[in-house]
Amino acid sequence: MELENNVFFWQKLDTFVFSSEIRIDRPKGSTHPSYSNLIYPVDYGCFTDTNVKDGEIHVYRGSIKTSIVNAIAVSVDILKRDIDVKVLLGCTEEEELDILRFLNQTDYQKCILIHRGQAIPSWSQSDN
């Protein structure tokens, strides 16, 4: 089974980002509050106006000024017993690699990136 990475998902995510406010809690170069050896490679924060009941929706904001999402990071943390999705906004390829290194540097958390897709799903195609 092929992963469907279609344009409609990314359009909805762009709409969410465009209509939301972001609060940057940890600017690029700052240290993690609990682990001083972890240095944030880009600005890191969260969306402030969500209805999430058990936390926040986090965002890594890169150096490109845009409201278009490049990718999402999906991480698994076995110490926290948590799976988390983070939005990558305006990140260069180098910044994406820095974020991957940042999120994968411990034995307890691992992360993958899912890059923006452009495919239009077959179920949306017209017969005309």
Side-chain angles (χ1 to χ4, degrees):
M1 181 172 168
E2 184 177 328
L3 173 69
E4 184 175 272
N5 188 358
N6 74 65
V7 69
F8 299 132
F9 170 81
W10 298 98
Q11 286 174 342
K12 294 299 180 201
L13 190 51
D14 287 339
T15 301
F16 175 86
V17 169
F18 185 71
S19 64
S20 298
E21 291 185 31
I22 297 172
R23 179 184 69 236
I24 299 298
D25 297 328
R26 300 173 193 149
K28 177 181 178 177
S30 63
T31 59
H32 189 282
S34 302
Y35 307 100
S36 61
N37 61 318
L38 302 179
I39 310 296
Y40 285 89
V42 298
D43 290 343
Y44 179 74
C46 64
F47 295 98
T48 61
D49 53 351
T50 65
N51 292 324
V52 178
K53 304 224 184 303
D54 60 347
E56 300 171 321
I57 301 171
H58 294 106
V59 60
Y60 286 97
R61 177 173 264 169
S63 59
I64 302 169
K65 301 303 175 207
T66 184
S67 295
I68 305 283
V69 177
N70 307 65
I72 55 175
V74 180
S75 60
V76 176
D77 188 321
I78 60 172
L79 282 181
K80 290 182 182 177
R81 302 207 38 81
D82 187 30
I83 297 173
D84 196 19
V85 176
K86 298 166 177 59
V87 175
L88 277 66
L89 183 62
C91 295
T92 65
E93 189 174 322
E94 183 178 335
E95 289 169 333
E96 286 182 2
L97 291 173
D98 289 342
I99 292 165
L100 265 178
R101 279 190 285 275
F102 176 77
L103 291 171
N104 284 306
Q105 63 186 305
T106 73
D107 290 334
Y108 305 107
Q109 176 177 285
K110 294 303 173 194
C111 174
I112 62 168
L113 289 187
I114 300 174
H115 285 96
R116 185 180 195 94
Q118 298 297 327
I120 297 174
S122 60
W123 51 261
S124 71
Q125 302 294 325
S126 171
D127 290 336
N128 299 332

